[in-house]
Amino acid sequence: MSNVDHDDNHDDAAFAAGGGPRVLSVSVASPRVRTIQVVRPGPADASYLNATSKGLAVTLKHFARNFFLPLRSKESRAKAGAPVDEKWKNEIETVQYPEEKVTYPERFRGLHRLTLRDDGAVRCVACMCCPTVCPAHCITIVPEESDSKGVEKRPAIFEIDELRCIACGLCVEACPCDAIRMDTGEHAKPVEDRSDAIETLQTMMARGVKSIAKQGGAGPTWRETAPGKHPHDFNR
Amino acid sequence: MLSSLYEWLPSGWAVLDSTAVKWLFLVLILVMPLASLLTWAERRQSAMMQDRLGPNRANIGPVKLKGVLHFVADAIKMIFKEDFIPANVHKGLFALAPVLALAPVLVAFAIIPFGPTIFPHSFGSSLDTIALAQNAQDPAFTDSIRMQIFQIDFGLIFYFAVLTLANYGGTIAGWASYNKWALLGGLRSSSQMMSYEVAMGMSLIGAFVMAGSLEPGAIVASGASATFSPDHMMAASNPANWLWLWQPVGLVLFVTAAIAETKRAPFDIPEGEPEIIGYFVEYSGIRWGMFFLAEFIEIVFISAVITTIFFGGYQFPFLDPDGFRFGGEMMTVGVSHVHVGGWFTALPHGVVVLLQFVAFGAKVVLLSWFQLLVRWTLPRFRADQLMHLGWKLLLPLALANIMVTALIKLLFM
Ligand code: SF4
Ligand code: SF4
């Protein structure tokens, strides 16, 4: 007997347990060769009438309910897939998009925003980490010297081609100073011209918020002061 | 107003009774819009069955009508799309195939009685049915409009003959497309339609036996009890006299075979979207639109045939040509039978005609709705299951139905 037979032996177990077709006789030389009884559908099933009428009843029920009962409320439909808890309402799940929106999960990656410093200047230091990591090569940064003290560089041009962006979020992960984020919850808007889909420094700063991250980091003692410190938390 | 119209018409009402005018009105103005509306209804209905909303956005300015205008948008889109003809196709046949798919269905509508015969002179008053039976040659009655384009004794045979031609549409499209998938689809289409035509014809023979006629107008006008003795005859408007009650097996068999003839799910093997796309895979724009429209016109046509044969056609329940009548008995006048007596409310002929038109329309719409329901409920058959169903189930059952019907008729009627 070959290895393949042994590998397939769980079939035999299933047969022995009563699953599968009824076994009439098993070959002694090769137990996998067996005579089985084939079960053909009875006349009621073979005519398809039973199953057809059952299926029609199901679809008819849905149709009647959705056709005659009023729409569910916006809020209830926005929770797509949630069971119908409103009485005498239909089961339609469709969210009529531009007028109604579903609430996105907190970590939904939307359009980019560039965060701001306390004085409203852009927080980005043009370190070029995000264009380097971006797998779609859609970030273009031209750095320039910054005139503010303590900040070496800043972007003169910061453009993201939203048509090429695959919304992977790697730029956000790569940024060492919380300067770029994708937490706007907005979609890339439909545009008529490809060039309109390019986000610029200005448009992304317009969406910007002040970052609460401490400028320059929390210093060498951050491990001691970090919240959630636990003796067994070795992954901090 | 009607009489002034009469004077204005060049040859009296005869011009309205001409084939061309009737075809224009009945097929182009009634059937085509209904078929186009079905393309929208199908999407809305399938959406409703699947807990979705369906297309509801197409609009002209603020007029939305729940998306009914989608079919207009579709038509505009298909007409203005590029008419693409792939290289190597047989140009003549490629152009001919959509016409061959569409034309036979439009022609077959000729045998359907869309409504009762209209007697314009009696429009304002209740129709004198006894006078009509006694003297049909009276000018008041000869001046009439028959709402059936082509009345001929072999009526339904004509339907089978013409619809067989629709078979060529799919097959030739598959052949001319120079595409193996299209060819496969064409082959499947011809094999399926050939198989089911047999069962379809056979399933109706029981109905012919019961009604004693092949002419759809006569089936509607007399119903199942046409060959009963005059004492046992029922009024044509009595739903118990319609053939659904007398030919239930024939009805189920015919509906099944007819849906298979329209090549829609669960019998959409020729199309087979996930595998071969079907015989029209190379078609685009309005040429494809013609196949699409032909499919929906076929739905309307099948509904009209089922209505005519099994559900009393344009008959409104308990509405005789002269008004509502419950009870009553059949009176023999010459060669015809007239329903008299009983509880009776007279109605003007115009109202009766209108109600009967509405009845026909409602029945056709309901049956079309039912076909869409079936199409969106059942999964596709496998090719072998299809052949098994057609040859080993429908055909023997149809033959048995003929035998039993004939025996019952011979022994009891
Ligand atoms: S989300 Fe990904 S693809 Fe988009 S800009 Fe950031 S790194 Fe590039
Ligand atoms: S990674 Fe952050 S700081 Fe560096 S260039 Fe990108 S946005 Fe600016």
Side-chain angles (χ1 to χ4, degrees), chain B residues 127-209:
Chain B
L127 189 68
D128 191 347
T129 44
I130 297 178
L132 174 64
Q134 275 168 343
N135 185 12
Q137 300 312 315
D138 191 312
F141 297 127
T142 48
D143 230 4
S144 61
I145 306 166
R146 206 181 52 236
M147 281 293 119
Q148 188 183 8
I149 300 167
F150 182 51
Q151 188 182 32
I152 192 86
D153 284 345
F154 53 77
L156 285 161
I157 304 283
F158 174 78
Y159 150 52
F160 290 135
V162 168
L163 268 213
T164 310
L165 292 179
N167 201 338
Y168 287 105
T171 316
I172 289 183
W175 176 254
S177 289
Y178 197 72
N179 179 320
K180 292 189 182 71
W181 305 120
L183 185 58
L184 262 181
L187 288 177
R188 288 181 180 192
S189 138
S190 57
S191 73
Q192 173 174 333
M193 291 188 73
M194 301 254 179
S195 313
Y196 276 77
E197 239 149 47
V198 181
M200 195 157 99
M202 291 296 162
S203 62
L204 280 192
I205 291 189
F208 300 156
V209 171

Side-chain angles (χ1 to χ4, degrees), chain B residues 232-307:
Chain B
H232 294 100
M233 278 178 77
M234 283 179 275
S237 57
N238 188 344
N241 191 15
W242 301 344
L243 277 165
W244 62 272
L245 195 63
W246 303 85
Q247 279 293 313
V249 181
L251 173 61
V252 172
L253 295 180
F254 181 73
V255 169
T256 315
I259 293 179
E261 281 287 301
T262 59
K263 301 190 285 268
R264 285 161 58 79
F267 301 101
D268 60 343
I269 296 167
E271 201 176 319
E273 278 151 337
E275 5 167 329
I276 60 167
I277 326 289
Y279 49 86
F280 43 56
V281 60
E282 295 289 4
Y283 283 85
S284 58
I286 194 67
R287 286 182 207 272
W288 178 83
M290 282 167 81
F291 279 116
F292 190 59
L293 194 62
E295 192 178 301
F296 282 90
I297 294 179
E298 253 178 79
I299 297 178
V300 179
F301 181 69
I302 298 288
S303 307
V305 170
I306 298 173
T307 304

Side-chain angles (χ1 to χ4, degrees), chain A residues 59 62 66 93-94 96 99, chain B residues 48 51 53 57 369 377:
Chain A
T59 45
H62 277 263
N66 293 333
E93 302 279 7
T94 309
Q96 305 208 41
E99 294 93 28
Chain B
M48 293 276 171
D51 293 347
L53 213 46
R57 293 277 164 148
W369 171 84
T377 300

Side-chain angles (χ1 to χ4, degrees), chain A residues 7-233:
Chain A
D7 287 344
D8 276 1
N9 268 353
H10 58 270
D11 279 1
D12 300 352
F15 287 149
R22 199 165 136 232
V23 180
L24 297 180
S25 68
V26 181
S27 157
V28 183
S30 173
R32 284 187 54 75
V33 178
R34 41 167 73 86
T35 315
I36 58 168
Q37 187 175 24
V38 179
V39 185
R40 300 247 179 257
D45 289 338
S47 74
Y48 304 107
L49 267 183
N50 253 352
T52 302
S53 41
K54 257 188 225 162
L56 284 176
V58 170
T59 45
L60 189 61
K61 203 190 84 194
H62 277 263
F63 176 77
R65 189 175 170 134
N66 293 333
F67 189 74
F68 292 111
L69 297 184
L71 268 181
R72 289 152 65 192
S73 68
K74 264 187 198 180
E75 300 74 44
S76 159
R77 263 177 299 146
K79 286 182 281 169
V84 185
D85 41 11
E86 293 171 90
K87 245 191 177 176
W88 302 115
K89 290 285 164 73
N90 64 30
E91 289 164 341
I92 286 175
E93 302 279 7
T94 309
V95 179
Q96 305 208 41
Y97 170 62
E99 294 93 28
E100 302 169 26
K101 288 177 178 145
V102 295
T103 34
Y104 290 126
E106 215 177 317
R107 297 190 58 184
F108 171 79
R109 294 195 283 270
L111 279 181
H112 300 79
R113 69 158 51 123
L114 288 176
T115 54
L116 310 175
R117 293 167 193 277
D118 288 343
D119 58 358
V122 70
R123 206 174 151 89
C124 169
V125 293
C127 71
M128 308 303 270
C129 276
C130 54
T132 310
V133 77
C134 176
H137 299 297
C138 61
I139 307 181
T140 310
I141 298 176
V142 175
E144 68 179 2
E145 218 169 283
S146 162
D147 34 11
S148 89
K149 238 177 158 189
V151 183
E152 210 169 292
K153 288 198 293 181
R154 69 175 180 207
I157 294 175
F158 196 127
E159 286 179 356
I160 300 185
D161 186 348
E162 294 290 349
L163 288 182
R164 294 189 62 173
C165 169
I166 56 170
C168 64
L170 286 183
C171 49
V172 181
E173 296 293 324
C175 184
C177 46
D178 190 26
I180 187 165
R181 288 200 206 155
M182 298 180 76
D183 58 357
T184 47
E186 284 173 43
H187 293 285
K189 303 235 162 28
V191 288
E192 284 181 359
D193 196 294
R194 275 161 193 272
S195 60
D196 294 342
I198 295 176
E199 292 288 331
T200 62
L201 184 64
Q202 285 72 32
T203 57
M204 284 187 288
M205 275 173 73
R207 263 182 238 116
V209 289
K210 289 203 177 105
S211 173
I212 52 153
K214 194 164 183 301
Q215 195 72 45
T221 59
W222 68 273
R223 275 177 199 281
E224 279 72 51
T225 56
K229 186 171 147 55
H230 190 273
H232 303 301
D233 184 6

Side-chain angles (χ1 to χ4, degrees), chain B residues 115-119 123 319 348-358:
Chain B
T117 303
I118 301 174
F119 301 102
F123 233 74
L319 181 69
H349 183 53
V351 177
V352 172
V353 167
L354 194 72
L355 279 176
Q356 289 183 327
F357 262 121
V358 170

